[in-house]
C-alpha cells in the first residue's frame, strides 16, 4: 500500500480505480502560410466554435453547480472576445506569415506570462484561464479530442492538475473523486469539486505517477490522504467511514432548497461564516442564504505584510461575485488579542483581550482602515456586500467610522474610481457595553450581529483562550442569553435586523430560544447549515 498526503478540498471518501486524465499531446509547429487572410478566417472560425462550446459548458455547469460557479465559462467567452488577445493573434499571423496554431500558442504564452508576473494574486490566477481558453481554440484548429479515458466503470480521476473546463466536462456519473499532483485550494477547480460534492485531494506531488493508472485507490477527503492499493484493514476502515458519511449526507441532502421555516411558519435566514475565498464553495454546496461573517483578518494573517488595496479588492470582489447577489457581510479587520501579526508591530500587553484590538486599531491607524474600506466600497459594486465593525463600545466610535467612510468616498470620487455609495453597515454586538447602548447604536446602523464568543468572554469575565476555564465558560449562562434578548429587542424597536455570528448560533439546543427572541439570522460554519435547517423545521 502507498499512502500519499495532500490537501483536502472536499470531505468524503471514495474508493475505486485510479484513471489518469487523458490529454492529447499536440505539437504546435510554426509553418509558413501564403494566404494570411484565409488563416485569420480559420482562426476566427475556431474562435467562434470555441465560444459555442463554452456556451454549452456554461449551460451544463449552470445545471450542475449553479450560476456563480458557471460564471467562469462566461469569463472564458469574454477572454476570447478580448480585442488585445485577437489583435495579438492576427498580428502574428499577418506580420510573420505563420499558421493560426502557432499564433494562438504564442499569444497564450505571452498573455499567461504577463498575468503571472502581476503582483495581484487574482490576476496571477488568470494565467491558467488564458491557457485554458487558448487550448480549446488549439484543439479545434488541430482537430483534437480530449477527456476521460473511455471506460464504463466510475473511477477516481488522477491528473497533474485539472482546468475548470476539464473539470466541468467530466461525466459526473463516472467520477468518484479527484486526485491531483498540483493545484491550489482557491482555484476554480477546487471550488467546482466542492460544489459538485466530489471528494477531492490536491497537491499530492509527484508520487502520484501515471504508472499507477488502473490501480485500486481510496481518497480520504477528510484527512487529505490517498491510499493506493490499500491493505485489507485500511479498505475496511475506509468503507465504514464512507458508509457513515453517505448516510449523514443523504439525510441532510433532502433539506437543500427547502426553507428555514418552523412548523408554525416563522422564518429565519441561515448564513455562513467564512475566513477565506476558498470557503465559498462549501457555503454554496450547503445552500446557505448568504455569508453572515467573513473574518477579513485572515487575509492579514496569511500575509507577511499588509495586504494591498488591490489584493483585498480582488478577494472581496471574488466572494461577492461567487455569491451572485446573495448577502456577503464582511467584517473589518479584527487583529489583536489571540490574532497577532508581527508586521503590525503591536506591543506586548498585560491583558490583550482587553487591549489594543479590532476597531481600536482601525480608529487610531486610519491608513490601515482606509485601505480596507476603499477595497470594500469598490468591491461592493460587484455584489451584495454589507460591512460590519467589531468590538464596538460606543456611539462615538460609529460616528467616527462614518466620518472616515465619508473621507474614503470623497477620495474615491475625486480619483474617479467606481464604488458603491450606499452599503449596508452593521456592528457586532460582542461587548456588554454595546448591549447596554444597543438602542442608541441601532439608530446609527442597519443591523446587528451578535458575536457570542466574545460576548460570553466579556460578560462572564472568562478568557475564551484559557482551557483551564472551560468548565466556567458557559455560553448558555442566563446573563448571556439576556444580553442577546436585550439587543434583539432594541434592534427591532428601531426597525433594524439582528443575527448571531458567534459559535452559539449553531448550538441546536438554543435554536428554539433564538427563534422565540425573534432573531432574523443565524450565521454558522458551512457544515452546520443543513443540521440547523433541520432543527428549525422541527421547531413549533
Ligand atoms: C465572536 O466574538 O463571537 C465572533 C464571531 O468573532 P470572533 O470569534 O472572530 O472574535
Ligand atoms: Mg469576536
Amino acid at each position: 500500500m502507498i499512502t500519499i498526503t495532500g490537501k483536502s478540498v472536499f470531505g468524503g471518501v471514495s474508493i475505486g480505480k485510479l484513471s489518469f486524465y487523458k490529454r492529447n499531446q499536440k505539437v504546435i509547429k510554426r509553418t509558413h502560410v501564403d494566404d494570411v487572410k484565409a488563416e485569420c478566417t480559420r482562426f476566427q472560425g475556431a474562435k467562434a466554435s470555441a465560444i459555442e462550446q463554452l456556451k454549452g459548458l456554461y449551460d451544463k455547469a449552470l445545471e450542475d453547480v449553479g450560476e456563480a460557479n458557471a460564471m467562469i465559462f462566461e469569463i472564458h467567452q469574454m477572454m476570447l472576445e478580448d480585442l488585445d488577445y485577437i489583435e495579438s493573434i492576427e498580428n502574428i499571423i499577418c506580420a510573420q506569415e505563420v499558421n493560426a496554431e502557432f499564433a494562438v500558442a504564442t499569444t497564450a504564452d505571452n498573455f499567461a506570462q504577463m498575468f503571472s508576473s502581476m503582483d495581484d494574486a487574482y490576476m496571477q490566477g488568470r494565467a491558467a484561464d488564458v491557457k485554458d481558453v487558448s487550448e480549446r481554440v488549439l484543439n479545434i484548429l488541430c482537430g483534437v479530442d480530449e477527456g476521460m479515458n473511455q471506460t464504463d466503470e466510475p473511477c477516481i480521476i488522477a491528473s497533474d492538475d485539472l482546468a475548470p473546463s476539464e473539470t466541468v466536462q467530466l461525466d459526473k456519473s463516472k467520477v468518484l473523486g479527484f486526485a491531483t499532483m498540483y493545484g491550489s485550494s482557491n482555484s476554480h477547480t477546487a471550488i467546482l469539486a466542492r460544489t459538485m460534492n466530489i471528494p477531492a485531494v490536491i497537491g499530492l506531488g509527484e508520487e502520484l505517477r501515471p504508472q499507477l493508472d488502473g490501480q485500486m485507490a481510496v481518497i480520504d477527503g477528510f484527512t487529505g490522504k490517498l491510499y493506493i492499493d490499500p491493505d485489507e484493514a485500511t479498505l475496511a476502515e475506509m468503507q465504514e467511514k464512507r458508509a457513515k458519511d453517505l448516510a449523514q449526507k443523504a439525510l441532510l441532502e433532502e433539506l437543500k432548497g427547502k426553507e428555514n421555516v418552523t412548523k408554525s411558519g416563522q422564518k429565519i435566514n441561515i448564513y455562513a461564516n467564512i475566513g477565506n475565498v476558498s470557503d465559498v464553495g462549501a457555503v454554496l454546496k450547503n445552500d446557505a442564504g448568504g455569508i453572515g461573517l467573513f473574518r477579513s483578518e485572515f487575509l492579514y494573517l496569511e500575509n507577511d505584510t499588509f495586504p494591498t488595496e488591490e489584493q483585498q479588492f480582488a478577494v472581496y470582489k471574488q466572494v461577492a461575485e461567487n455569491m451572485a447577489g446573495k448577502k456577503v457581510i464582511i467584517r473589518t479587520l479584527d487583529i489583536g488579542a489571540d490574532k497577532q501579526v508581527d508586521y503590525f508591530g503591536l506591543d506586548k500587553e498585560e491583558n490583550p483581550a482587553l487591549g489594543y484590538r479590532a476597531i481600536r486599531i482601525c480608529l487610531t491607524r486610519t491608513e490601515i482602515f482606509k485601505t480596507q474600506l476603499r477595497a470594500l466600497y469598490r468591491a461592493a459594486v460587484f455584489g451584495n456586500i454589507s460591512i460590519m465593525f467589531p468590538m464596538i463600545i460606543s456611539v462615538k466610535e460609529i460616528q467616527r467610522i462614518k466620518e472616515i467612510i465619508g473621507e474614503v468616498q470623497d477620495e474615491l470620487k475625486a480619483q474617479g474610481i467606481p464604488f458603491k455609495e450606499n452599503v449596508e453597515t452593521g456592528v457586532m454586538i460582542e461587548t456588554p457595553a454595546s448591549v447596554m447602548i444597543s438602542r442608541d447604536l441601532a439608530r446609527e446602523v442597519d443591523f446587528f450581529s451578535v458575536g457570542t464568543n466574545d460576548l460570553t468572554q466579556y460578560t462572564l469575565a472568562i478568557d475564551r483562550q484559557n482551557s483551564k476555564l472551560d468548565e466556567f465558560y458557559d455560553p448558555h449562562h442566563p446573563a448571556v442569553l439576556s444580553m442577546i434578548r436585550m439587543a434583539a429587542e432594541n434592534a427591532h424597536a428601531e426597525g433594524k435586523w439582528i443575527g448571531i455570528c458567534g459559535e452559539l448560533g449553531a448550538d441546536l439546543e438554543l435554536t428554539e430560544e433564538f427563534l422565540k427572541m425573534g432573531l432574523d439570522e443565524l450565521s454558522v460554519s458551512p457544515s452546520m447549515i443543513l443540521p440547523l435547517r433541520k432543527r428549525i423545521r422541527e421547531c413549533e
Side-chain angles (χ1 to χ4, degrees):
M1 176 170 87
I2 305 172
T3 307
I4 316 176
T5 306
K7 284 180 276 182
S8 166
V9 291
F10 183 67
V13 175
S14 53
I15 304 171
K17 276 193 187 150
L18 271 186
S19 171
F20 271 76
Y21 188 81
K22 173 172 67 82
R23 264 189 208 107
N24 278 321
Q25 296 298 325
K26 295 178 292 290
V27 183
I28 305 296
K29 286 199 186 128
R30 177 194 167 112
T31 51
H32 173 81
V33 293
D34 290 325
D35 189 348
V36 290
K37 231 172 153 191
E39 201 59 13
C40 286
T41 311
R42 202 163 75 83
F43 159 65
Q44 286 291 353
K47 177 172 81 79
S49 306
I51 291 176
E52 276 312 301
Q53 285 183 0
L54 286 164
K55 280 185 188 152
L57 281 178
Y58 176 83
D59 292 341
K60 183 174 187 302
L62 195 64
E63 220 172 83
D64 287 354
V65 293
E67 191 180 350
N69 291 296
M71 204 88 86
I72 184 69
F73 300 109
E74 272 198 340
I75 296 171
H76 280 193
Q77 287 176 54
M78 281 190 256
M79 281 181 155
L80 283 179
E81 305 275 22
D82 181 72
L83 288 183
D84 289 335
Y85 179 78
I86 298 171
E87 216 173 86
S88 161
I89 292 167
E90 295 194 330
N91 276 344
I92 295 175
I93 295 176
C94 296
Q96 302 182 32
E97 297 182 348
V98 289
N99 53 329
E101 289 86 339
F102 178 78
V104 172
T106 309
T107 302
D109 282 347
N110 291 344
F111 275 57
Q113 244 174 43
M114 179 184 78
F115 283 131
S116 307
S117 63
M118 289 183 176
D119 274 344
D120 183 315
Y122 179 80
M123 293 313 286
Q124 285 168 2
R126 302 289 66 76
D129 290 321
V130 79
K131 285 207 149 181
D132 192 13
V133 281
S134 305
E135 202 57 26
R136 179 173 302 286
V137 178
L138 284 172
N139 284 340
I140 295 167
L141 285 168
C142 303
V144 159
D145 190 20
E146 300 192 323
M148 284 171 72
N149 282 319
Q150 287 310 307
T151 152
D152 283 338
E153 198 184 347
C155 49
I156 294 173
I157 299 294
S159 175
D160 49 355
D161 199 357
L162 283 167
S165 59
E166 291 173 333
T167 315
V168 83
Q169 279 179 97
L170 295 171
D171 180 353
K172 239 174 86 179
S173 64
K174 293 200 183 145
V175 179
L176 298 172
F178 295 126
T180 66
M181 294 184 204
Y182 315 109
S184 103
S185 6
N186 293 330
S187 67
H188 282 109
T189 302
I191 294 176
L192 287 172
R194 284 187 207 110
T195 319
M196 286 161 85
N197 248 324
I198 293 177
V201 186
I202 60 168
L204 289 158
E206 285 165 21
E207 262 188 274
L208 183 67
R209 311 179 299 280
Q211 289 83 335
L212 298 170
D213 192 65
Q215 296 247 30
M216 193 64 192
V218 179
I219 287 182
D220 183 347
F222 297 104
T223 58
K225 285 199 177 355
L226 175 72
Y227 302 99
I228 296 161
D229 192 17
D231 57 35
E232 239 170 73
T234 308
L235 193 60
E237 187 198 331
M238 289 295 129
Q239 273 162 341
E240 197 186 323
K241 198 167 177 178
R242 181 166 179 273
K244 265 195 198 148
D245 178 49
L246 289 182
Q248 203 172 3
K249 280 186 179 144
L251 216 62
L252 293 173
E253 200 64 19
E254 289 166 17
L255 290 170
K256 282 194 186 168
K258 299 234 166 101
E259 277 190 311
N260 310 310
V261 61
T262 63
K263 287 184 180 163
S264 60
Q266 187 181 341
K267 290 186 186 165
I268 186 165
N269 287 320
I270 305 184
Y271 293 167
N273 294 348
I274 66 164
N276 202 298
V277 194
S278 60
D279 300 332
V280 176
V283 173
L284 294 168
K285 181 180 100 40
N286 288 288
D287 197 25
I291 290 172
L293 168 65
F294 178 177
R295 289 181 161 97
S296 69
E297 59 274 11
F298 283 100
L299 265 175
Y300 293 75
L301 293 168
E302 284 161 6
N303 262 24
D304 296 334
T305 175
F306 291 100
T308 63
E309 178 183 326
E310 287 312 312
Q311 278 170 338
Q312 295 191 53
F313 168 67
V315 169
Y316 305 148
K317 175 172 176 276
Q318 192 182 342
V319 173
E321 284 180 339
N322 285 0
M323 290 301 292
K326 289 184 177 171
K327 199 187 275 296
V328 175
I329 303 176
I330 304 180
R331 171 174 80 183
T332 58
L333 89 118
D334 185 4
I335 287 291
D338 53 319
K339 296 174 205 144
Q340 289 294 331
V341 187
D342 284 348
Y343 62 81
F344 270 71
L346 302 178
D347 292 333
K348 212 162 165 35
E349 293 178 300
E350 281 289 310
N351 291 301
L354 304 179
Y356 189 52
R357 64 172 284 198
I359 204 69
R360 299 167 188 178
I361 298 180
C362 290
L363 290 178
T364 46
R365 293 176 67 176
T366 47
E367 73 290 356
I368 300 174
F369 194 32
K370 279 187 165 182
T371 303
Q372 181 167 37
L373 289 172
R374 282 174 66 97
L376 286 168
Y377 277 92
R378 285 176 57 199
V381 173
F382 298 90
N384 186 5
I385 286 180
S386 305
I387 305 174
M388 160 161 95
F389 304 100
M391 287 294 290
I392 295 296
I393 56 164
S394 72
V395 170
K396 230 166 61 196
E397 286 168 341
I398 295 297
Q399 287 164 346
R400 178 68 190 124
I401 290 169
K402 285 184 182 169
E403 280 170 17
I404 297 173
I405 291 173
E407 289 167 25
V408 162
Q409 295 199 338
D410 287 346
E411 285 161 19
L412 287 169
K413 234 177 257 172
Q415 292 163 339
I417 298 173
F419 68 96
K420 185 171 169 199
E421 202 156 339
N422 293 316
V423 173
E424 195 187 40
T425 52
V427 287
M428 292 202 57
I429 298 292
E430 51 184 350
T431 61
S434 65
V435 175
M436 301 314 287
I437 59 161
S438 49
R439 185 76 189 248
D440 297 328
L441 286 175
R443 288 191 197 105
E444 300 286 335
V445 293
D446 302 307
F447 69 93
F448 286 164
S449 187
V450 185
T452 50
N453 310 334
D454 279 317
L455 186 59
T456 307
Q457 146 165 282
Y458 297 125
T459 303
L460 305 183
I462 288 180
D463 179 359
R464 66 192 257 198
Q465 297 297 113
N466 188 340
S467 56
K468 267 196 232 140
L469 300 177
D470 278 355
E471 63 176 301
F472 298 101
Y473 185 92
D474 175 14
H476 289 207
H477 195 291
V480 176
L481 297 179
S482 293
M483 293 260 179
I484 301 172
R485 191 174 300 109
M486 182 175 174
E489 282 166 7
N490 284 330
H492 290 152
E494 292 297 330
K496 306 296 163 70
W497 69 266
I498 177 167
I500 293 181
C501 63
E503 292 306 300
L504 208 57
D507 188 329
L508 303 182
E509 283 177 36
L510 288 174
T511 308
E512 190 143 23
E513 183 73 30
F514 294 150
L515 285 162
K516 281 186 196 154
M517 288 182 194
L519 290 173
D520 304 282
E521 176 242 22
L522 296 171
S523 189
V524 298
S525 70
S527 60
M528 280 308 292
I529 292 162
L530 294 174
L532 180 56
R533 177 171 297 162
K534 179 168 177 282
R535 179 74 196 103
I536 289 164
R537 292 173 67 85
E538 285 162 3
C539 287
E540 290 299 333

